[in-house]
Structure formats: C-alpha cells, structure tokens
C-alpha cells in the first residue's frame, strides 16, 4: 500500500510481521492516553517520544505532509483556531503551548489513520485497554501498586483515577466486539463485555457504564447489516419512535428525567457537581461570546483565579475542565469554535450513516459506534477536545474515515470498506 494512501479499511488478513511495530506503538499511545502509564512511568517523556516518532515519520517522506494537508486539512481547523486564540487569550503563554501540543496530538491521530487499517486500530485499542484492565485486576488481587481503591471505595486498578479503569473495560469490550465481527464471533465478544462490565461498576464510573450502551449499539449495527435495504432505511423512523418514547418517559417522571434516573442509580442530581460547572461555563461564555477566553486558558488565568479557587474548594480540588467537551470548546473558543465543532460532529455523523446504509459496511458500523461513544461521552467529560486524549484521537480518525468514504463512489465505497 502506498505511503500516501489513507489505510483505514481492513485487508482480509492482518500483516502482523510488517505492521506489528505500528500496532505496538499505537497500543502504547492509547495506553498512555488513558493515563495507564501515569503511575508506572513518566508520561511526559513518553509523549515527547511519540512526538519525535511522528515528526520522523512525516519528514521521512515529504509527500505525507502534502497528503495530510490536502486530504485531512479539516482536522486542523479547530487546532488552528486554538493557536490563533493565543492573540486574545487570558493566558497567552499557556494557550500557545497547549495549542502546539494539540496540533501534535492531531498529527499522531492522522498518522494512525494513514498507516493502520480499521482492524489494526481495533487490535491496538484492545491491547492497550485490555492490558490495562488485566493489570488492574492483577493489582486488585496482589496490591503491587498502591492505592488500589479510592477513598470513596471506587476501584483504581493501576490508574490514578477511577474513570481510567472504567474506560479501559468499556473500550476493551468495544474493540473486541469490532474484531470479532470480522471473524463472525460477535457472541464471544458480548460474553466478554458482560464479564467486564462489573469492573466499570466497581469503578463507580457512570461515564464508563453508559459507554457500555455503545457496545450494544455496535452489536445492533452489526446485526442490522444483514437486513434488506428497505428495513435498514427504517432506522431513522426507529430513532423518531425512541425520541417520542423518551418524551413520554420525561412526562411520566414529572419533567425531571435526569434526576429520577440518577437517584435510581444512587447518584447526585448535580452529576457529581457537573451541572454546577456547566452553569459556570455558560456564564463565562456570556462574558466572552465570540472568541472565548483562549484555548486551555481558563483554569490557569489570574483573571479567573478566584472563580477557579471557588470551584476547587466547593466541587473538586483537582478539576481542570468543565466535564463537558462542547462547553469546554465554547468557553475556550467562543461561538466560532463551538459552532465549528458542532458542524464537524454533525457532518461526520451524516457521512458515517450514509456509508453504513449505502454499502452495509462493517468498517462504517465500527466507526459510527466509536464516534457515537466519543461524541456522546463528551457530554459528561472534556477529553474529546483535550491534549493527549485517546477520545480526541479516535474522533480525528473517525472523521478522516468519514471524509474518505464520502469521496468514494458508491461502488468503490462498497468494495473498500470491508
């Protein structure tokens, strides 16, 4: 395969002897992105190494730079706007440095998209998160890395925060389901998902538990591929029915569905302080509506030091984000950046759904599920548009895949996406 070809679609077999180093490197990147290396090694040194390897790959063939700039220029729109926000940022030094890191994270993701197939990316994701899950369970039984549990009783495993082990369980299940779908062994993957779901429960991570719904979504998409085209076209109608059912449930619960569900799960109606954070984010957006306060600037700016101190005292002392990726972008880059992000998300959904309905593509089903997980969980966390985030890298790869299948002719798309 030429170096400049966007290799997102899987071959019939994985050429492990040739692709093994790239798969291993990608697995290490995903493992580090989920904070798996934070208690085992120095993650900053690892990220410097990832930067260097990515730049070396780019410079080894200048055609790659041209290909990325011509085919994947849209992936750099938000990072470029983040860099431009240095001009009006309330913390320009922090914004400039963080924007360059975000550009490098984008390049790392695009390198994955260019050198690995969908199946190989899933394999790397499974190795990374499955390995982290296995080490966490080993730590649970042996206690070789302390602490194993948070003060509130949530499972940490090898991760510094409970969300890490929860997301490791979810992504390992989703990646394995995608891999098994190619081998027609989806039932085995669903059994694995059911077996590791209790880990997300032990981690007390609602975000990770909600993520398991996407595993069911992918299983449904895999099954729906075998239905006649006319029935598959009825998926939008099913979505409308689901929406109406949600409205009915909303009315039955007295107009406060969120509180009812959270109380049933034993959770705070404020989503552990998230709704408080969101109200602060909206207030800041109202103050700087057009261009925002600058990328990654709010939490380190002297201008908002008093408000940040209040949040750390009354919500969570370790917070450095609003627990909502969309609000994070609106605060950092204003209505310009927020609208751009929402437009990219909507366009990617349209392209992936079209590819799925048009070609019965398993690859499209997998990337649709991955993108649904990333963009959906972004409502509960800020890692969708964040430095060194595995969710952000998966979103960039999904967008690159969506652009590729959108350019392909119907016949070509059908042939290439499997």
């Amino acid at each position: 395969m030429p170096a400049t070809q966007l290799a997102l679609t899987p071959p019939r077999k994985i050429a492990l002897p040739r692709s093994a180093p790239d798969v291993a490197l990608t697995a290490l990147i995903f493992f580090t992105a989920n904070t798996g290396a934070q208690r085992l090694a120095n993650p900053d040194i690892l990220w410097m190494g990832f930067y260097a390897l990515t730049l070396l790959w780019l410079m080894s063939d200048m055609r790659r730079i041209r290909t990325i700039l011509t085919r994947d220029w849209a992936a750099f729109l938000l990072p470029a706007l983040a860099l431009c926000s240095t001009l009006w940022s309330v913390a320009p030094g922090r914004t400039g440095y963080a924007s360059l890191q975000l550009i490098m994270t984008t390049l790392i993701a695009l390198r994955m998209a260019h050198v690995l197939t969908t199946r190989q990316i899933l394999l790397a994701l499974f190795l990374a998160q499955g390995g982290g899950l296995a080490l966490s369970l080993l730590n649970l039984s042996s206690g070789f890395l302390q602490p194993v549990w948070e003060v509130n009783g949530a499972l940490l495993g090898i991760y510094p925060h409970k969300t890490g082990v929860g997301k490791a369980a979810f992504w390992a299940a989703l990646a394995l389901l995608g891999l098994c779908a190619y081998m027609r062994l989806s039932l085995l993957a669903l059994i694995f998902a059911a077996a590791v779901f209790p880990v997300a429960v032990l981690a007390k991570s609602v975000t990770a538990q909600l993520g398991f719904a996407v595993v069911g979504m992918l299983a449904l998409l895999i099954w729906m591929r075998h239905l006649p085209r006319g029935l598959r076209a009825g998926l939008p109608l099913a979505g409308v029915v689901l929406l109406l059912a949600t409205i009915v449930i909303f009315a039955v619960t007295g107009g406060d569905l969120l509180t009812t569900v959270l109380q049933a799960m034993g959770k705070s109606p404020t989503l552990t302080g998230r709704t408080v954070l969101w109200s602060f984010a909206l207030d800041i957006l109202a103050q700087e509506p057009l261009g925002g306060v600058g990328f990654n600037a709010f939490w380190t700016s002297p201008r908002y030091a008093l408000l940040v101190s209040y949040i750390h005292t009354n919500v969570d002392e370790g917070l450095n984000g609003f627990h909502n990726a969309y609000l994070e972008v609106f605060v950092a880059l204003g209505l310009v950046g927020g609208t751009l992000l929402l437009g990219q998300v909507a366009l990617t959904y349209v392209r992936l759904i079209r590819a799925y309905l048009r070609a019965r593509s398993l690859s499209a089903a997998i990337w649709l599920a991955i993108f649904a997980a990333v963009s959906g969980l972004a409502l509960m966390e800020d890692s969708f548009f964040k430095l060194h985030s595995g969710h952000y890298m998966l979103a960039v790869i999904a967008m690159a895949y969506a652009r590729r299948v959108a350019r392909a002719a119907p016949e070509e798309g059908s042939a290439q996406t499997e």
Side-chain angles (χ1 to χ4, degrees), residues 11 14 28 63 90 116 118 170 204 225 239 299 335 381 399 409:
I14 301 175
L28 181 59
R63 292 175 299 176
V90 295
L116 296 176
T118 297
F170 155 61
K204 297 185 178 180
R225 290 169 63 244
W299 298 93
L335 294 174
E381 60 179 22
M399 290 177 182

Side-chain angles (χ1 to χ4, degrees), residues 323-382:
H323 275 300
N324 186 302
Y326 304 102
L327 286 177
E328 196 75 36
V329 175
F330 273 103
V331 169
L333 303 177
L335 294 174
V336 175
T339 302
L340 177 59
L341 174 62
L342 293 178
Q344 286 185 323
V345 169
L347 183 59
T348 301
Y349 269 118
V350 169
R351 287 170 170 173
L352 289 174
I353 291 172
R354 282 179 177 174
Y356 173 76
L357 294 176
R358 178 185 65 194
R360 301 190 182 192
S361 168
L362 178 55
S363 294
I366 290 169
W367 286 112
L368 179 57
I370 288 176
F371 194 69
V374 170
S375 59
L377 295 179
L379 293 167
M380 300 288 290
E381 60 179 22
D382 56 355

Side-chain angles (χ1 to χ4, degrees), residues 161-342:
H161 191 269
K162 63 180 183 179
T163 306
V165 65
K167 287 196 291 189
F170 155 61
W171 282 112
L174 186 66
L176 184 62
L177 178 57
L179 286 170
C180 287
Y182 287 113
M183 299 176 286
R184 302 183 184 278
L185 296 172
S186 299
L187 180 60
L188 178 64
L190 291 175
I191 294 174
F192 174 83
V196 299
F197 177 75
V199 176
V201 176
L202 286 175
K204 297 185 178 180
S205 173
V206 176
T207 302
Q209 292 173 41
L210 291 175
F212 273 85
V214 183
V215 177
M217 170 189 167
L218 178 56
L220 180 62
L221 289 173
I222 292 169
W223 173 71
M224 292 289 287
R225 290 169 63 244
H226 305 292
L227 293 178
R229 185 179 297 272
L231 290 178
R232 284 185 292 124
L235 284 175
L237 177 60
V240 172
V241 173
L242 180 61
L243 176 61
L244 293 175
T246 302
I247 294 174
V248 171
I249 295 173
F250 188 83
V252 170
T253 57
D256 199 352
L257 175 62
L258 182 61
T259 299
T260 302
V261 172
L262 289 172
Q263 287 177 344
M265 297 174 68
K267 295 291 181 179
S268 165
T270 65
L271 290 168
T272 322
R274 281 178 171 87
T275 56
V276 177
L277 290 173
W278 297 346
S279 66
F280 284 133
L282 293 173
D283 290 341
I284 298 165
L285 175 61
Q287 297 171 18
E288 302 288 345
L290 188 59
V293 301
F295 176 64
N296 220 6
F298 170 78
W299 298 93
T300 58
S301 167
R303 177 176 170 181
Y304 294 104
L306 210 59
L307 178 56
V308 170
S309 176
Y310 176 84
I311 292 173
H312 285 169
T313 302
N314 294 279
V315 183
D316 189 332
E317 62 180 356
L319 276 176
N320 60 355
F322 290 105
H323 275 300
N324 186 302
Y326 304 102
L327 286 177
E328 196 75 36
V329 175
F330 273 103
V331 169
L333 303 177
L335 294 174
V336 175
T339 302
L340 177 59
L341 174 62
L342 293 178

Side-chain angles (χ1 to χ4, degrees), residues 92-161:
R94 176 58 184 168
T95 294
Y97 179 67
S99 299
L100 292 176
Q101 287 184 303
L102 185 66
I103 291 173
M104 286 306 306
T105 306
T106 305
L107 284 173
I108 290 173
L110 289 176
R111 181 187 180 276
M112 295 177 188
H114 278 253
V115 302
L116 296 176
T117 66
T118 297
R119 202 183 307 192
Q120 289 164 348
I121 290 173
L122 288 175
L123 177 59
L125 186 60
F126 177 71
L127 290 175
Q129 311 307 351
L133 179 62
L135 287 173
S136 294
L137 293 177
L138 177 62
N139 194 32
L140 177 62
S141 61
S142 65
F144 69 89
L145 188 64
Q146 294 294 329
V148 180
W149 302 88
E150 275 192 350
V151 178
N152 65 356
L155 177 65
L156 287 174
I158 62 166
Y159 298 92
H161 191 269

